[in-house]
Amino acid sequence: MARLGSWIESHPQGIYVRPADAWIDPSEPKPRAWITHGHSDHARGGHGAVLATAQTLAIMECRYGPQPGQPIAYGESLRVADVEVSFVPAGHVLGSAQIVLEHRGEKVVVSGDYKRRPDPTCAAFVPVPCDIFITEATFGLPVFRHPDTGSEIDRLLHRLHSDPSRCVLVGAYALGKAQRIICELRARGHHEPIYFHGAIERLNQLYASFGVALGELRHTGGATKQEMAGHIVIAPPGALNDRWSRRLPDPVTAMASGWMRIRQRARQQNVELPLIISDHADWDELTSTVREIEPTEVWITHGREEALKHWCLTHQIKACELNLIGYEDEDD
C-alpha cells in the first residue's frame, strides 16, 4: 500500500504535486506554480503559469511586472489532471491562501504562512480537516506567545501622546504589516494623518484598490519636521537607522514584529519601542490549529521544525520536517 501523500514530493526548492505537474511556492521559476501569497520568499517571478488569488496576482504584478496568471477565488475549485485544487483563506496578508489538494481520496492542505488573530486587512484563516497538514513553524517554540494586538497598539499610542514634539517611527514590512498597523491604529480611534516612507506607497494604493480603508496617509517627502511632530511614521525596517530617518523630528524608533519577543533582537536593531505584532501563528496557535484540524500527519516546512515535530509526536500525530530552502522571516 502506498504511503499517505505519496503523490506529493518535497524538494529543497518547493513542494511538487506530481499528478498535476505543479509546484507550490517554488523558489525557482517553474512551468506551473501555485502561489499561497505575495511575500517574496513565496512568490517569485518568471513562472510559466501562475494560479493564485486575484490579490496575490496583483501583488506579484506590482513587484515583478505582468504575470501569466489565472485568478482563483476563495472556495472555488479547479481540476488539474486528477487533482482537485481549491484555495481557502490563510489570514496572513491580503490574498493569502491555504492550498487544498484532493487526489484519490486523500486531502492535503498546504498552509503557506498563516495566523489566527483577527486582521482588518485580510480574510480570516479557515481550518480545513485533512489527512496531511503542511504547516509553517516560524514561531514554533513555546517562548513565542504573542500578546493581544490591541494592547500593543495602545502602547504605541501612549508613547506617541507622551511627547508631541517627537514622532514615532514604526518599522513594518511593506506588504501586509504596514497596512495592518495602519488599520489597527484606526480601529483604536487614531484618525490623525499617518506618514509613510515612499517604499510603501504602491502597496498602500494596492490595498486601497481592494477596499481596505487606510484613512488619511501622507508621504514623508516634502513634509517638514514640524509637520511630522506628534505623528506616526511607517517605514520598512531597513529605513529605521538609515540616513532617511534624519529628516524626522527626534523619532522614537519602534518595530512591529513577532521577533520583538527576543530582547536581543530589539537591542541589535536599536529599537526603543518593540511591538510584538506578528503575521504568523504563535506556539499556542500552531498547536491548537493542529488539534482543530486533526490531521493524520503533519509536515513542517520552515521555522522551528524540531519543537513542533516533538509536540506532534508526543500527541500521537505522525510528523516530519521538509527542510525547504528559501523561506525566511523577512515578512514578519
Side-chain angles (χ1 to χ4, degrees), residues 74-297:
Y74 291 136
E76 182 182 354
S77 182
L78 296 176
R79 193 164 189 85
V80 181
D82 58 350
V83 177
E84 198 80 18
V85 56
S86 58
F87 282 44
V88 298
H92 180 55
V93 295
L94 181 70
S96 62
Q98 305 169 80
I99 300 179
V100 182
L101 310 167
E102 296 184 64
H103 175 68
R104 296 185 178 177
E106 288 183 3
K107 182 179 289 188
V108 176
V109 174
V110 183
S111 73
D113 290 336
Y114 68 97
K115 69 173 178 291
R116 303 302 303 267
R117 305 293 174 97
D119 182 340
T121 70
C122 65
F125 179 94
V126 173
V128 178
C130 57
D131 299 296
I132 297 175
F133 184 49
I134 302 180
T135 180
E136 63 141 315
T138 301
F139 292 110
L141 289 173
V143 67
F144 291 113
R145 288 182 163 95
H146 306 326
D148 175 70
T149 303
S151 66
E152 294 297 281
I153 296 295
D154 287 344
R155 291 177 56 236
L156 167 57
L157 291 171
H158 176 76
R159 193 58 179 272
L160 175 71
H161 298 148
S162 66
D163 189 348
S165 68
R166 306 176 71 183
C167 72
V168 178
L169 171 60
V170 182
Y173 287 100
L175 170 57
K177 185 62 67 64
Q179 296 77 28
R180 182 184 174 198
I181 293 297
I182 293 168
C183 288
E184 295 284 3
L185 283 162
R186 302 310 190 196
R188 303 303 278 189
H190 183 77
H191 300 296
E192 296 296 316
I194 294 174
Y195 287 84
F196 64 88
H197 186 283
I200 300 175
E201 184 171 18
R202 285 194 304 166
L203 288 167
N204 285 346
Q205 293 170 347
L206 187 149
Y207 266 64
S209 74
F210 280 99
V212 179
L214 300 174
E216 184 180 355
L217 303 179
R218 296 179 183 176
H219 198 302
T220 56
T224 66
K225 287 187 176 182
Q226 184 176 9
E227 288 171 332
M228 289 185 284
H231 289 281
I232 291 170
V233 181
I234 310 284
L240 295 187
N241 300 304
D242 189 69
R243 288 177 58 187
W244 167 86
S245 65
R246 297 177 189 174
R247 71 179 67 183
L248 305 178
D250 190 19
V252 175
T253 302
M255 176 73 177
S257 170
W259 297 109
M260 290 298 97
R261 172 66 73 185
I262 303 175
R263 293 181 181 180
Q264 185 178 1
R265 283 215 181 194
R267 288 195 295 267
Q268 288 173 344
Q269 296 176 346
N270 298 316
V271 173
E272 190 175 342
L273 179 62
L275 301 169
I276 306 171
I277 301 175
S278 175
D279 282 332
H280 294 264
D282 68 6
W283 173 257
D284 290 333
E285 291 160 345
L286 288 168
T287 56
S288 65
T289 298
V290 172
R291 287 182 187 274
E292 184 177 8
I293 290 173
E294 297 184 322
T296 302
E297 296 183 14

